């Protein structure tokens, strides 16, 4: 067993230093910003390494990644970074009761008192609010960015005749906020494994997406690449 909690106590089993890992396809810079919010949410430091890790390397190697050989992974937090047999919290579910329960159990295993855990829960809800996260991950005007993303996602839902859950919307805002900034800064380099198949099979989604996001792309003078549209398609459909 490579990742484990037992009765709220850390089980190392000679697996090395215990760590909490943040990984996001948006890059380690975004993961590091989430770590900053996590750090300031803690009432006191914990004796656990908190680190970002390369998302694509982790997804390619899964349980065989060197990360699992060198560390005792207590938890992975990220977007689409679930590894079997390892505790995992998606960023979009970070504020749910179930996720907070997982975090509370880890802190109990690290000798946190009940009062400290309550303070941590309060801090998590405050620091990981959508507006605060968006302010953390981008240098763009957050109010304008949120309004434009909200407008685009509302149009996309109408055009696709679907309703996207609030927790999925949270993840989309984070991803799109980071994506728009990367496009503005000309830093986007996301790839998709079978882009030709996607373009052939999902022409309706591509068309609806481009029409829905026309306003935000025009405002920032950017074009969202097909590879990014494909990723967002998979992300949305994974929750439907």
């Amino acid at each position: 067993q490579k990742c484990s909690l037992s009765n709220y106590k850390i089980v190392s089993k000679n697996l090395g230093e215990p760590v909490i890992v943040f990984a996001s396809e948006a890059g380690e810079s975004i993961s590091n910003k989430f770590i900053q919010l996590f750090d300031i949410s803690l009432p006191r430091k914990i004796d656990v390494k908190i680190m970002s890790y390369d998302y694509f390397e982790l997804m390619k190697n899964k349980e065989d990644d060197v990360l699992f050989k060198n560390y005792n992974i207590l938890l992975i937090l990220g977007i689409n970074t679930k590894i079997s047999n390892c505790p995992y919290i998606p960023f979009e579910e970070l504020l749910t009761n179930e996720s907070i329960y997982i975090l509370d159990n880890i802190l109990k295993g690290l000798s946190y008192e009940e009062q400290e855990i309550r303070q941590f829960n309060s801090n998590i809800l405050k620091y990981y609010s959508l507006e605060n996260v968006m302010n953390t991950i981008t240098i763009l005007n957050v109010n304008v960015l949120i309004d434009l993303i909200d407008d685009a996602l509302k149009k996309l839902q109408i055009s696709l005749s679907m309703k996207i859950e609030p927790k999925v919307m949270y993840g989309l805002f984070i991803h799109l906020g980071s994506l728009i900034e990367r496009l503005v800064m000309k830093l986007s380099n996301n790839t998709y494994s079978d882009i030709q198949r996607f373009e052939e099979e999902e022409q309706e989604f591509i068309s609806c997406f481009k029409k829905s996001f026309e306003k935000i792309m025009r405002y920032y003078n950017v074009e969202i690449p097909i590879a990014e549209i494909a990723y967002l398609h998979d992300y949305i459909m994974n929750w439907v």
Side-chain angles (χ1 to χ4, degrees):
Q1 187 176 7
K2 296 179 179 178
C3 308
S4 57
L5 298 173
S6 178
N7 296 324
Y8 311 149
K9 299 297 182 183
I10 297 171
V11 181
S12 63
K13 296 187 177 180
N14 298 320
L15 290 176
E17 183 181 7
V19 298
I20 294 173
V21 177
F22 285 71
S24 169
E25 55 79 35
E28 288 191 60
S29 62
I30 296 299
S31 295
N32 286 329
K33 289 174 181 178
F34 267 78
I35 289 174
Q36 290 173 11
L37 295 177
F38 190 85
D39 274 336
I40 62 176
S41 297
L42 292 166
R44 62 179 168 88
K45 292 292 183 182
I46 55 177
D47 191 22
V48 169
K49 183 181 180 69
I50 303 174
M51 61 182 286
S52 62
Y53 196 74
D54 185 278
Y55 167 87
F56 297 101
E57 195 71 14
L58 184 59
M59 290 298 94
K60 181 179 72 175
N61 299 327
K62 302 283 187 177
E63 295 90 340
D64 295 325
D65 195 273
V66 66
L67 188 68
F68 291 89
K69 297 179 175 65
N70 296 336
Y71 295 101
N72 175 18
I73 302 174
L74 304 182
L75 178 68
I76 295 176
L77 298 98
I79 297 179
N80 287 344
T81 48
K82 183 173 178 58
I83 305 291
S84 61
N85 300 320
C86 192
Y88 165 67
I89 296 178
F91 285 157
E92 60 269 22
E93 293 189 359
L94 189 57
L95 303 184
T96 64
N97 289 334
E98 182 179 353
S99 296
I100 290 175
Y101 177 76
I102 293 172
L103 291 167
D104 287 354
N105 286 345
I106 291 175
L107 294 178
K108 286 179 182 178
L110 297 166
S111 303
Y112 253 51
E113 303 292 337
E114 287 296 331
Q115 182 180 355
E116 293 175 311
I117 290 175
R118 285 195 297 270
Q119 183 61 57
F120 171 76
N121 292 343
S122 176
N123 290 345
I124 282 285
L125 294 173
K126 176 172 66 175
Y127 292 124
Y128 282 96
S129 68
L130 178 60
E131 186 173 352
N132 198 59
V133 169
M134 294 290 280
N135 269 308
T136 302
I137 66 174
T138 181
I139 60 172
L140 302 175
N141 184 303
V142 169
N143 292 330
V144 173
L145 183 59
I146 287 177
D147 285 346
L148 288 168
I149 293 174
D150 185 57
D151 175 73
L153 290 175
K154 282 178 179 174
K155 289 176 180 175
L156 184 64
Q157 290 176 88
I158 291 170
S159 64
L160 294 174
S161 300
M162 69 187 305
K163 179 69 175 175
I164 301 176
E165 291 184 53
K167 65 180 180 182
V168 183
M169 290 287 282
Y170 181 89
L172 286 170
F173 269 95
I174 293 170
H175 178 84
L176 286 163
S178 169
L179 169 61
I180 295 300
E181 177 172 274
R182 283 185 282 131
L183 291 173
V184 169
M185 303 293 288
K186 304 187 186 311
L187 298 174
S188 180
N189 59 352
N190 209 353
T191 58
Y192 191 79
S193 59
D194 196 351
I195 197 72
Q196 184 175 349
R197 178 198 59 76
F198 175 77
E199 289 187 272
E200 291 172 354
E201 296 179 1
E202 300 296 341
Q203 292 181 20
E204 181 184 1
F205 182 90
I206 294 170
S207 176
C208 290
F209 185 95
K210 287 184 174 181
K211 289 177 183 177
S212 300
F213 281 78
E214 183 180 5
K215 183 177 178 180
I216 191 170
M217 288 192 291
R218 186 171 65 250
Y219 183 89
Y220 289 107
N221 193 29
V222 297
E223 184 74 26
I224 298 179
I226 294 296
E228 295 286 0
I229 297 175
Y231 172 84
L232 288 160
H233 166 272
D234 291 355
Y235 178 78
I236 292 169
M237 296 305 167
N238 185 52
W239 290 96
V240 172

